[in-house]
Amino acid sequence: MFSSRQDVCLSLSEVMRDFAVTKKMLLESVSSKGLTVIVCPYGKVSLGFRLKEDCRGRCSGVGQEDPLRLDLSEYNAFTLCDEDAVGVVSTGSLYAKKPLKAARINLYSKEVSIDCPVSAVCERGGDVFSWKAYDENEFIFTGGSLSQKGIELGEERVFFLKSEVDGLEIHWERFFPEKDSVSEYEAGPWSTQLLIDLNIAFEHFYSNGVLEEIEEEWKKGEGKNTIAKWFEERWGDGVAPKYSVEKACEIIDPDNNCLYDLTLFGVSEEDLRRNQSKATKLMVMVDVAAKRKYERDRLYAQEKTLVPELGKAGKVTQKLGYAISGIVKRTPFRGRS
């Protein structure tokens, strides 16, 4: 009846990385949804019991302070009330009057168990009388070190329960394109769905500034991680070859433009007009390669001949060449088949 809560936890930095959330968003969830925040300081955690404030100074049949004198030394962490939890997440420092519950975290497996005073007694085989006694007790910090001054924690020592975070609508998808817009790209009968998807991603994340928005709100590097997640979801389950999924972000990244010379690939003015005005050179090369394959140019029909042709414009690794070939060879305009 009064068992410990067993779960798996994630550090603050892991939640921000894996679920694409900012501290601001987590703070809102702590306040509005009462997310459990667990603190595991670097130093020793010393916990004890005292009677709840409303039980002090009055007679009660079982109202005793820690009647069993329990040893709480096995606990290395604790949860906090919402107000203190918000402070910890926002500042990375601990200023807390008291712990809410006691916790044990395995920092390697991330398994965690959480006890209220009653379940702490049950874990030690306490009887019904003990349960009732400890129902009127609450946890406190002993020694005063944690409650008297700020303790620096960092993002690796503040934890959330995975089961609670999984239920929040704070995932990568909030940055994904809401519609398949390719306003500037003039698709032709050679344009595969994967080629169109490259243009959707480029327009949304680069032309519309969503990548910058992500990195301003969050941190540098996470914009490209978000793009990778979009391609994984869009092209997963065999929609695109493995190499195409892995290299899609590289193809639409403008930072790679300096590596290629379109004139060496025989790109015409007509080819350039057909593509987005700011399209990367690799995107243009994919479109042109798809068009030449459609026009039955044998050099573009197979990977072994396509990759050397792409290499005329600059360094194209075998994996990148296979990725482009996978995009070019998909059936035009037939969706994700």
Side-chain angles (χ1 to χ4, degrees):
M1 179 179 178
F2 299 106
S3 60
S4 300
R5 177 172 182 177
Q6 308 287 330
D7 211 321
V8 175
C9 60
L10 298 171
S11 69
L12 173 58
S13 60
E14 288 173 325
V15 172
M16 293 171 63
R17 181 193 68 212
D18 296 344
F19 292 87
V21 294
T22 62
K23 280 188 180 180
K24 180 180 178 182
M25 295 175 65
L26 277 174
L27 286 169
E28 292 172 355
S29 296
V30 171
S31 300
S32 64
K33 301 180 183 296
L35 289 187
T36 301
V37 175
I38 309 165
V39 172
C40 182
Y42 288 101
K44 180 179 174 60
V45 174
S46 297
L47 301 178
F49 290 104
R50 72 179 176 191
L51 282 174
K52 295 177 182 177
E53 187 173 354
D54 60 356
C55 297
R56 298 172 211 160
R58 66 172 174 83
C59 294
S60 171
V62 292
Q64 301 178 50
E65 189 167 272
D66 192 15
L68 300 181
R69 297 293 183 262
L70 296 179
D71 178 9
L72 302 179
S73 60
E74 67 194 77
Y75 293 104
N76 63 346
F78 47 87
T79 70
L80 298 169
C81 68
D82 290 350
E83 181 181 354
D84 288 339
V86 167
V88 165
V89 175
S90 61
T91 67
S93 300
L94 175 65
Y95 292 89
K97 297 175 182 177
K98 63 182 181 181
L100 190 62
K101 294 181 180 180
R104 289 166 291 190
I105 294 179
N106 183 320
L107 293 173
Y108 296 98
S109 66
K110 298 297 178 67
E111 294 175 326
V112 60
S113 62
I114 301 174
D115 282 319
C116 65
V118 175
S119 64
V121 175
C122 293
E123 287 286 304
R124 293 159 178 79
D127 56 21
V128 174
F129 183 84
S130 300
W131 299 349
K132 292 180 179 178
Y134 279 88
D135 196 34
E136 296 189 351
N137 276 248
E138 63 183 1
F139 289 113
I140 59 169
F141 298 122
T142 58
S145 60
L146 290 174
S147 57
Q148 296 301 318
K149 62 182 180 179
I151 304 296
E152 292 299 320
L153 297 168
E155 295 177 356
E156 299 303 323
R157 289 287 174 154
V158 179
F159 296 89
F160 294 84
L161 296 178
K162 186 176 185 299
S163 60
E164 293 182 352
V165 177
D166 281 342
L168 296 177
E169 296 180 358
I170 50 178
H171 297 274
W172 301 90
E173 286 84 351
R174 67 191 179 90
F175 294 116
F176 289 175
E178 294 182 1
K179 57 183 180 178
D180 292 353
S181 173
V182 283
S183 57
E184 281 194 305
Y185 176 62
E186 297 177 12
W190 57 86
S191 301
T192 68
Q193 183 62 50
L194 303 186
L195 174 52
I196 293 171
D197 286 348
L198 289 176
N199 281 274
I200 291 170
F202 181 81
E203 179 171 309
H204 177 73
F205 290 107
Y206 286 98
S207 298
N208 295 345
V210 174
L211 182 141
E212 292 180 1
E213 177 188 329
I214 295 169
E215 301 202 339
E216 284 178 7
E217 183 177 324
W218 200 5
K219 59 183 178 181
K220 188 172 177 61
E222 294 307 328
K224 292 182 180 179
N225 287 341
T226 305
I227 298 172
K229 287 286 184 181
W230 185 79
F231 279 113
E232 286 171 11
E233 291 200 10
R234 186 85 165 182
W235 291 0
D237 298 325
V239 172
K242 176 185 175 183
Y243 288 153
S244 300
V245 178
E246 292 177 356
K247 290 293 186 178
C249 290
E250 181 178 333
I251 293 171
I252 68 169
D253 187 348
D255 290 344
N256 296 319
N257 277 339
C258 62
L259 303 176
Y260 305 99
D261 186 339
L262 294 181
T263 58
L264 298 178
F265 192 58
V267 174
S268 68
E269 287 298 320
E270 179 186 347
D271 293 328
L272 292 174
R273 285 194 297 271
R274 186 173 63 247
N275 281 272
Q276 297 187 55
S277 58
K278 295 181 180 180
T280 68
K281 292 179 180 179
L282 278 175
M283 289 172 62
V284 175
M285 288 166 62
V286 175
D287 172 73
V288 172
K291 184 172 184 290
R292 290 173 182 173
K293 175 182 177 295
Y294 177 78
E295 294 171 345
R296 302 188 182 282
D297 186 327
R298 292 182 178 180
L299 292 175
Y300 295 84
Q302 298 181 27
E303 288 174 348
K304 64 180 181 181
T305 52
L306 170 60
V307 176
E309 287 300 304
L310 294 168
K312 292 178 179 179
K315 185 177 180 180
V316 175
T317 64
Q318 187 177 55
K319 185 179 286 189
L320 177 58
Y322 287 169
I324 293 174
S325 177
I327 295 169
V328 168
K329 289 166 67 175
R330 277 300 192 262
T331 305
F333 283 118
R334 293 191 185 172
R336 302 182 209 174
S337 57

